Amino acid sequence: MNYYIIFASMINQQLLNPESIVVIGGSNNVHKPGGAIVRNIKNGGYHGDLHIVNPKEEEVQGIKAYHDVKDIPQTEMAILVVAAKFCPDYVDFLCAEKGVRAFVIISAGFGEETKEGAALEQRILDTCEQYGAALIGPNCIGLLNRHHHSVFTLPIPNLNPQGVDFISGSGATAVFILESAVIKGLQFNSVWSIGNGKQIGIEDVLQYMDEHFNPETDSKVKLLYIENVANPDKLLFHAGNLIRKGCRIAAIKAGASESGSRAASSHTGAIASSDSAVEALFRKAGIVRCFSREELTTVGCIFTLPPLKGRLTADGRTQSVNFAIVTHAGGPGVMLTDALSKGGLNVPKLEGPIADELKSKLFPGSSVANPIDFLATGTPEQLGTVIDYCENKFDNIDAIAVIYGTPGLTALYEAYDVLDKKTKECKKPIFPTLPCLHTAGPEVEEFLKKGHVNFSDEVTLATALSQIMHTPMPAPFEVQLYGIDIPRLNKIIYRETNRLKFDGVTSGYLAPDVVREVLSCAGIPLVPELVSVSKEELTAFAEKVGYPVVAKVVGPVHKSDVGGVALNIRTPEHLVMEFERMMKIPDATGVMVQKMLNGTELFIGAKYEKRFGHVVLCGLGGIFVEVLKDVSSGLAPLNYAEAYSMIHSLKGYKIIKGTRGQKGINEQKYAEIIVRLSTLLRFATEITEMDINPLLADENDVVAVDARIMIER
């Protein structure tokens, strides 16, 4: 990652809490943006002076209308809901003559559409920066906070100082996400629709929130919908800072990769993409990544509850959380159990004297094994009893999920009153899943009005919980060299880029001996090997290191595809035969002989992504990377905690750890190679792609067997 130049945020008090607002284009038609925005500001209880400019109306929604902007009094903030072509002149006049220092431009038709529109947008930006004015938009739905509801859309969520701060790069998507949030009971502190983000983008809003953060009064939950990561370093820096200060952040990054479509010559090139870079960036920052609006708002609801406090597993690094599932419907309880287990969370069996005691307090036929099913005939009092046992008597329970719908046999208001009381009393977090929004809408609504949230789908809840638990804390900013020989590395890269220049090309793969030089700069263990065009030299080398050996053709990129790999060569005669065969392969420039080793095949790769830096991938080698693409990504440089987190997040981690009587690999050495390689890449941006595949690992060592490095001058 590159360090970014720090600029002061343009967000000001005139934008956040203006004493006066003018709506240019306000109207009486609430079905159009100009009328809807006036309606929302009025209904939101704005306490300042509200002015309207409309050349045809005398009064707009009970407020005097000015026919000409020249007639309005001095004003702090302006909302423009007029055609794009008129906006620059309004901004010029309002800044120079009326003291406006904040703008929300709803209008579209700017840089998102045409070059002419981009020129209008740039003129607005130049004027705002000349006068020190804040600019939201253009092409947005507006800004909503507890001081003013300057948006033209619905719904308007419940606003609360401890509610969610939501920042969206798309206005229409923001509305969908708000609708998803409102029915869950999620409350908000502010909603930012940045539109084109000409001056203030998502990263700038985070910067302001970071630099002005007050842990006593500010919201600690941030939700993001991102269409373009304009400044990865800025996002990483301020999101990481906010999380370290006690905030929790979740985000959707929409949009497919543009780099994944090209043909790639390496495994990393085929797998890595700008989406891999986003994944790595979020992991490094500690941002929980979501993939749908339901997932994002579900994560936001979870963030409003007491944090999950898990327990360390036997490896001392991985956290585990034990859930009790309380339900009167067996099916949803089983589905939640399956989904939690799939996500790496536990639903432990409850048994013994305490479980028997609880069962005695329930109706016959109830089950307390977990899920705790107290039947459709169960009473609200029994619901309270079950929650009390989970809170106070089952020490191996960390969190409680309550699935309570409409059995049709008890009063839901009474049951939800019990759930309200227990949620406020219990130290362990309670996750209410009240799925009957159609048949029990009024009861659920009453429950939400008391400040609670509702997870109407148990599987979405489990998915969100898993994403949260598997998201690491932000990585420290410091770059540690870990013994990397940077001067020697620089000399090698300088020499090789000059060679490219001499050959008249811009990029190319390094020769095998140079690859070994580069990897040795990071102290990465390498299998003994020799590249030669002499069968005598190669047979002598094989005798020296000892049979069996491996022979590989040098020249073709994909050796296996052209028959350029021979394993388990045990005699000089066999080696000579393979040498002669491989030298006949088109484009062959030599043959490499290596000592044949045994072990678990691992993979490490890296790819340079513009603006992000190097994305480092790790995983199991062989078919796992080629077919299953079971890889984890991180953003260079990485520390040991990040490397371990990447390794543990692999679907095939059980193979690395050891399973079915097989010993695991030396995980510490694997993590060390990942860290060393990532640090090397931080100082060699000329490396555009790298594969080490495979590394062979056992319980004692991890050794690089085959590697390719592409550089670009």
Side-chain angles (χ1 to χ4, degrees), residues 177-433:
I177 291 171
L178 286 171
E179 288 178 341
S180 171
V182 165
I183 62 172
K184 295 181 177 68
L186 186 60
Q187 299 187 18
F188 287 76
N189 178 56
S190 66
V191 176
W192 299 70
S193 165
I194 64 159
N196 293 359
K198 189 64 178 178
Q199 182 199 75
I200 296 172
I202 289 174
E203 298 90 343
D204 302 292
V205 179
L206 284 177
Q207 177 185 350
Y208 182 88
M209 291 177 176
D210 175 22
E211 293 173 348
H212 296 82
F213 182 71
N214 183 331
E216 301 298 323
T217 60
D218 289 356
S219 167
K220 294 183 175 64
V221 179
K222 321 292 179 189
L223 301 183
L224 316 176
Y225 175 81
I226 304 171
E227 292 190 332
N228 175 49
V229 182
N231 191 327
D233 290 336
K234 197 171 187 177
L235 180 66
L236 171 64
F237 183 81
H238 292 295
N241 269 353
L242 283 164
I243 294 170
R244 290 185 190 92
K245 292 173 181 178
C247 292
R248 309 175 84 183
I249 302 178
I252 295 173
K253 166 60 178 74
S257 158
E258 73 281 355
S259 59
S261 59
R262 66 173 178 83
S265 59
S266 68
H267 296 304
T268 304
I271 297 169
S273 65
S274 59
D275 192 65
S276 302
V278 170
E279 180 76 23
L281 175 69
F282 283 11
R283 286 181 62 84
K284 200 173 191 71
I287 297 171
V288 177
R289 188 171 190 189
C290 301
F291 296 91
S292 71
R293 61 179 186 269
E294 284 299 307
E295 193 176 327
L296 181 69
T297 54
T298 300
V299 169
C301 289
I302 294 170
F303 282 168
T304 66
L305 300 177
L308 285 170
K309 294 181 179 178
R311 56 199 71 211
L312 293 178
T313 55
D315 62 11
R317 286 187 293 265
T318 307
Q319 270 206 334
S320 175
V321 177
N322 292 343
F323 269 82
I325 298 174
V326 181
T327 180
H328 64 170
V334 172
M335 287 189 284
L336 180 55
T337 300
D338 291 343
L340 288 171
S341 300
K342 183 179 178 181
L345 298 133
N346 301 320
V347 183
K349 186 176 182 180
L350 300 176
E351 54 189 350
I354 296 176
D356 295 338
E357 181 184 303
L358 172 60
K359 190 170 183 178
S360 70
K361 298 178 182 295
L362 306 177
F363 290 142
S366 299
S367 171
V368 297
N370 204 12
I372 302 171
D373 184 351
F374 65 106
L375 307 179
T377 53
T379 66
E381 291 78 14
Q382 288 174 334
L383 171 63
T385 299
V386 172
I387 293 174
D388 285 341
Y389 268 72
C390 293
E391 168 74 5
N392 300 311
K393 297 197 174 186
F394 291 124
D395 294 334
N396 62 333
I397 293 301
D398 305 309
I400 307 163
V402 177
I403 304 174
Y404 202 99
T406 311
L409 300 172
T410 59
L412 278 182
Y413 283 113
E414 188 178 344
Y416 290 173
D417 283 344
V418 170
L419 190 55
D420 165 54
K421 181 173 180 288
K422 296 303 179 185
T423 301
K424 292 173 179 175
E425 289 177 353
C426 291
K427 294 181 180 178
K428 296 175 183 177
I430 295 177
F431 299 87
T433 301

Side-chain angles (χ1 to χ4, degrees), residues 591-652:
V591 172
M592 173 193 295
V593 171
Q594 295 176 327
K595 173 67 178 175
M596 185 166 177
L597 302 176
N598 294 315
T600 300
E601 291 189 354
L602 303 175
F603 162 82
I604 299 178
K607 182 172 180 288
Y608 186 80
E609 282 284 339
K610 290 180 180 178
R611 296 184 292 116
F612 288 85
H614 282 99
V615 180
V616 179
L617 306 177
C618 76
L620 292 165
I623 64 167
F624 289 96
V625 65
E626 293 178 5
V627 179
L628 302 181
K629 295 180 173 58
D630 179 20
V631 296
S632 182
S633 59
L635 212 55
L638 299 161
N639 59 35
Y640 277 95
E642 291 178 276
Y644 281 121
S645 176
M646 289 168 63
I647 295 168
H648 293 168
S649 69
L650 294 167
K651 295 182 181 71

Side-chain angles (χ1 to χ4, degrees), residues 429-473:
I430 295 177
F431 299 87
T433 301
L434 317 178
C436 299
L437 299 179
H438 179 69
T439 55
E443 294 93 331
V444 173
E445 185 178 354
E446 184 67 25
F447 179 75
L448 298 182
K449 283 181 179 177
K450 295 176 181 178
H452 300 298
V453 292
N454 171 34
F455 305 96
S456 60
D457 182 78
E458 59 277 353
V459 175
T460 304
L461 169 61
T463 302
L465 286 165
S466 175
Q467 285 291 91
I468 291 170
M469 292 304 298
H470 294 152
T471 301
M473 287 298 291

